[in-house]
Amino acid sequence: GASASGSAPPLEMLAVLPCLALAFRPGVPAAPLPRLAASLRTAVAASDLLPPPPLKPPAAIVDAAIAAGQAKAEAPAAKVFLLGVISGCHIAFGSCLALMVGGAVPGIKEANPGLQRILFG
């Protein structure tokens, strides 16, 4: 389940993070793994008890979209330009990652071209 605010994980899930950090450190024996599994089961069971986040009615969603669009239309040109440049950088990083991961598997490309295309994006 998700938290009531929709932006942060439930507190029960956060309790698992220290156990994850211990479980995957180099040189640490695998003894914490059973505790990790127990913690995960407890966190999942507790998160199932949380109520779903409240949903907005369709009219409120439309109003929020209109308000967001109006705020973007009224934003200063310099801010819009900067956000456009940052968005372009994110797209460029994504394409670079796709080229590095999808293009760097010639063995898979020969054996299973479909899998290589999935990796490529």
Side-chain angles (χ1 to χ4, degrees):
S3 67
S5 68
S7 62
L11 293 177
E12 295 84 8
M13 295 300 284
L14 292 176
V16 176
L17 293 178
C19 193
L20 279 172
L22 287 174
F24 298 107
R25 281 192 330 205
V28 173
L33 291 178
R35 289 184 300 197
L36 172 64
S39 297
L40 286 173
R41 280 193 293 277
T42 302
V44 168
S47 68
D48 289 341
L49 301 175
L50 297 174
L55 299 176
K56 294 181 179 180
I61 294 172
V62 170
D63 291 341
I66 291 170
Q70 185 176 5
K72 289 178 184 179
E74 295 172 352
K79 180 179 180 182
V80 173
F81 178 76
L82 179 64
L83 290 175
V85 169
I86 293 171
S87 296
C89 290
H90 283 112
I91 292 169
F93 286 137
S95 65
C96 182
L97 179 65
L99 286 172
M100 288 190 308
V101 172
V105 286
I108 292 178
K109 183 176 182 180
E110 293 169 5
N112 189 348
L115 178 59
Q116 190 268 342
R117 288 185 185 140
I118 289 173
L119 290 173
F120 193 67

